[in-house]
Short mmCIF file of all heavy atoms in Angstrom, two decimals:
data_model
loop_
_atom_site.label_atom_id
_atom_site.label_comp_id
_atom_site.label_asym_id
_atom_site.label_seq_id
_atom_site.Cartn_x
_atom_site.Cartn_y
_atom_site.Cartn_z
N VAL A 571 27.45 128.46 -15.64
CA VAL A 571 27.15 126.98 -15.63
C VAL A 571 27.04 126.62 -14.16
O VAL A 571 26.01 125.81 -13.82
CB VAL A 571 28.35 126.22 -16.34
CG1 VAL A 571 28.21 124.77 -16.03
CG2 VAL A 571 28.44 126.56 -17.76
N ALA A 572 27.98 126.90 -13.28
CA ALA A 572 27.71 126.55 -11.82
C ALA A 572 26.52 127.10 -11.23
O ALA A 572 25.75 126.34 -10.45
CB ALA A 572 29.02 127.01 -11.16
N LEU A 573 26.19 128.39 -11.50
CA LEU A 573 25.07 128.96 -10.76
C LEU A 573 23.73 128.33 -11.24
O LEU A 573 22.83 127.98 -10.45
CB LEU A 573 25.11 130.47 -11.14
CG LEU A 573 24.19 131.24 -10.18
CD1 LEU A 573 24.35 131.11 -8.70
CD2 LEU A 573 24.31 132.75 -10.50
N SER A 574 23.59 128.15 -12.57
CA SER A 574 22.37 127.64 -13.14
C SER A 574 22.11 126.16 -12.65
O SER A 574 21.09 125.73 -12.23
CB SER A 574 22.33 127.71 -14.56
OG SER A 574 23.45 127.00 -15.21
N TYR A 575 23.23 125.35 -12.71
CA TYR A 575 23.12 123.95 -12.25
C TYR A 575 22.81 123.83 -10.79
O TYR A 575 21.88 123.03 -10.50
CB TYR A 575 24.37 123.30 -12.55
CG TYR A 575 24.37 121.79 -12.34
CD1 TYR A 575 23.81 120.88 -13.17
CD2 TYR A 575 25.05 121.32 -11.14
CE1 TYR A 575 23.80 119.52 -12.95
CE2 TYR A 575 24.96 119.90 -10.88
CZ TYR A 575 24.39 119.03 -11.79
OH TYR A 575 24.43 117.74 -11.48
N ASN A 576 23.37 124.72 -10.01
CA ASN A 576 23.17 124.60 -8.56
C ASN A 576 21.92 125.24 -7.99
O ASN A 576 21.36 124.89 -7.01
CB ASN A 576 24.50 125.06 -7.77
CG ASN A 576 25.65 124.11 -8.05
OD1 ASN A 576 25.58 123.01 -7.59
ND2 ASN A 576 26.61 124.57 -8.73
N LEU A 577 21.43 126.29 -8.66
CA LEU A 577 20.14 126.90 -8.40
C LEU A 577 19.10 125.76 -8.63
O LEU A 577 18.11 125.65 -7.96
CB LEU A 577 19.86 128.15 -9.19
CG LEU A 577 20.66 129.45 -8.64
CD1 LEU A 577 20.41 130.47 -9.67
CD2 LEU A 577 20.09 129.72 -7.20
N ALA A 578 19.26 125.11 -9.77
CA ALA A 578 18.29 123.96 -10.14
C ALA A 578 18.37 122.95 -8.94
O ALA A 578 17.35 122.43 -8.58
CB ALA A 578 18.69 123.33 -11.51
N GLY A 579 19.60 122.69 -8.49
CA GLY A 579 19.70 121.67 -7.45
C GLY A 579 19.18 122.18 -6.11
O GLY A 579 18.42 121.49 -5.40
N ALA A 580 19.17 123.48 -5.89
CA ALA A 580 18.73 124.13 -4.68
C ALA A 580 17.10 124.01 -4.68
O ALA A 580 16.52 123.75 -3.60
CB ALA A 580 19.10 125.51 -4.33
N LEU A 581 16.57 124.06 -5.87
CA LEU A 581 15.07 124.05 -5.94
C LEU A 581 14.55 122.64 -5.90
O LEU A 581 13.37 122.45 -5.54
CB LEU A 581 14.67 124.70 -7.40
CG LEU A 581 14.88 126.29 -7.34
CD1 LEU A 581 14.53 126.78 -8.74
CD2 LEU A 581 13.98 126.96 -6.30
N THR A 582 15.44 121.67 -6.26
CA THR A 582 14.98 120.30 -6.37
C THR A 582 15.62 119.44 -5.31
O THR A 582 15.09 118.17 -5.17
CB THR A 582 15.25 119.72 -7.80
OG1 THR A 582 16.65 119.73 -8.05
CG2 THR A 582 14.50 120.43 -8.89
N GLY A 583 16.52 119.85 -4.53
CA GLY A 583 17.15 119.05 -3.62
C GLY A 583 16.25 118.63 -2.42
O GLY A 583 16.64 117.50 -1.77
N PHE A 584 15.25 119.29 -2.22
CA PHE A 584 14.31 118.91 -1.10
C PHE A 584 13.10 117.97 -1.66
O PHE A 584 12.21 117.80 -0.88
CB PHE A 584 13.68 120.14 -0.46
CG PHE A 584 14.65 120.98 0.42
CD1 PHE A 584 15.43 122.01 -0.16
CD2 PHE A 584 14.96 120.59 1.75
CE1 PHE A 584 16.30 122.68 0.65
CE2 PHE A 584 15.82 121.30 2.52
CZ PHE A 584 16.53 122.25 1.99
N LEU A 585 13.31 117.60 -2.94
CA LEU A 585 12.15 116.66 -3.37
C LEU A 585 12.16 115.43 -2.73
O LEU A 585 10.97 114.94 -2.55
CB LEU A 585 12.37 116.49 -4.94
CG LEU A 585 12.05 117.69 -5.85
CD1 LEU A 585 12.31 117.35 -7.25
CD2 LEU A 585 10.61 118.03 -5.60
N PRO A 586 13.13 114.65 -2.30
CA PRO A 586 12.95 113.56 -1.43
C PRO A 586 12.16 113.77 -0.26
O PRO A 586 11.32 113.02 0.20
CB PRO A 586 14.28 113.10 -1.18
CG PRO A 586 15.18 113.67 -2.38
CD PRO A 586 14.57 114.85 -2.63
N PHE A 587 12.39 114.96 0.40
CA PHE A 587 11.62 115.33 1.59
C PHE A 587 10.23 115.63 1.27
O PHE A 587 9.32 115.12 1.87
CB PHE A 587 12.31 116.71 2.14
CG PHE A 587 11.46 117.31 3.19
CD1 PHE A 587 11.71 117.03 4.62
CD2 PHE A 587 10.62 118.29 2.92
CE1 PHE A 587 10.91 117.62 5.55
CE2 PHE A 587 9.81 118.95 3.90
CZ PHE A 587 10.06 118.55 5.25
N LEU A 588 9.89 116.29 0.05
CA LEU A 588 8.60 116.63 -0.41
C LEU A 588 7.88 115.42 -0.72
O LEU A 588 6.68 115.12 -0.28
CB LEU A 588 8.65 117.64 -1.45
CG LEU A 588 7.35 118.04 -2.06
CD1 LEU A 588 6.27 118.68 -0.94
CD2 LEU A 588 7.49 118.93 -3.26
N ALA A 589 8.58 114.45 -1.50
CA ALA A 589 7.90 113.35 -1.90
C ALA A 589 7.56 112.41 -0.72
O ALA A 589 6.43 111.74 -0.64
CB ALA A 589 8.83 112.48 -2.88
N THR A 590 8.39 112.36 0.32
CA THR A 590 8.18 111.61 1.55
C THR A 590 6.99 112.17 2.32
O THR A 590 6.14 111.42 2.78
CB THR A 590 9.41 111.46 2.42
OG1 THR A 590 10.49 110.91 1.71
CG2 THR A 590 9.21 110.80 3.72
N ALA A 591 6.91 113.51 2.43
CA ALA A 591 5.83 114.05 3.15
C ALA A 591 4.45 113.84 2.39
O ALA A 591 3.49 113.52 2.93
CB ALA A 591 6.01 115.64 3.12
N LEU A 592 4.51 113.91 0.98
CA LEU A 592 3.18 113.64 0.29
C LEU A 592 2.86 112.10 0.26
O LEU A 592 1.67 111.85 0.50
CB LEU A 592 3.50 113.97 -1.24
CG LEU A 592 3.67 115.47 -1.52
CD1 LEU A 592 4.05 115.60 -2.92
CD2 LEU A 592 2.33 116.20 -1.30
N LEU A 593 3.93 111.34 0.41
CA LEU A 593 3.60 109.90 0.63
C LEU A 593 3.02 109.60 1.89
O LEU A 593 1.85 108.72 1.97
CB LEU A 593 5.00 109.13 0.64
CG LEU A 593 5.02 107.63 0.34
CD1 LEU A 593 4.52 107.30 -1.14
CD2 LEU A 593 6.43 107.01 0.61
N ALA A 594 3.37 110.27 2.90
CA ALA A 594 2.84 110.01 4.34
C ALA A 594 1.39 110.53 4.33
O ALA A 594 0.39 109.96 4.96
CB ALA A 594 3.63 110.71 5.45
N ALA A 595 1.17 111.84 3.72
CA ALA A 595 -0.11 112.46 3.72
C ALA A 595 -0.99 111.62 2.83
O ALA A 595 -2.34 111.66 3.09
CB ALA A 595 -0.03 113.78 3.15
N GLY A 596 -0.74 110.93 1.79
CA GLY A 596 -1.51 110.11 0.82
C GLY A 596 -1.67 108.66 1.31
O GLY A 596 -2.12 107.98 0.43
N GLY A 597 -1.24 108.38 2.51
CA GLY A 597 -1.30 107.04 2.96
C GLY A 597 -0.55 105.94 2.18
O GLY A 597 -0.88 104.84 1.95
N GLY A 598 0.62 106.46 1.58
CA GLY A 598 1.52 105.47 0.87
C GLY A 598 1.38 105.29 -0.59
O GLY A 598 2.05 104.75 -1.28
N ALA A 599 0.40 106.23 -1.11
CA ALA A 599 0.20 106.22 -2.69
C ALA A 599 1.34 106.99 -3.36
O ALA A 599 1.89 107.91 -2.83
CB ALA A 599 -1.03 106.98 -2.98
N SER A 600 1.75 106.34 -4.46
CA SER A 600 2.98 106.75 -5.04
C SER A 600 2.71 107.92 -6.10
O SER A 600 3.59 108.52 -6.64
CB SER A 600 3.79 105.68 -5.72
OG SER A 600 2.91 105.09 -6.78
#
Side-chain angles (χ1 to χ4, degrees):
V571 172
L573 192 59
S574 56
Y575 184 80
N576 290 296
L577 283 174
L581 293 175
T582 59
F584 287 94
L585 283 179
F587 171 89
L588 178 59
T590 301
L592 292 173
L593 199 68
S600 65

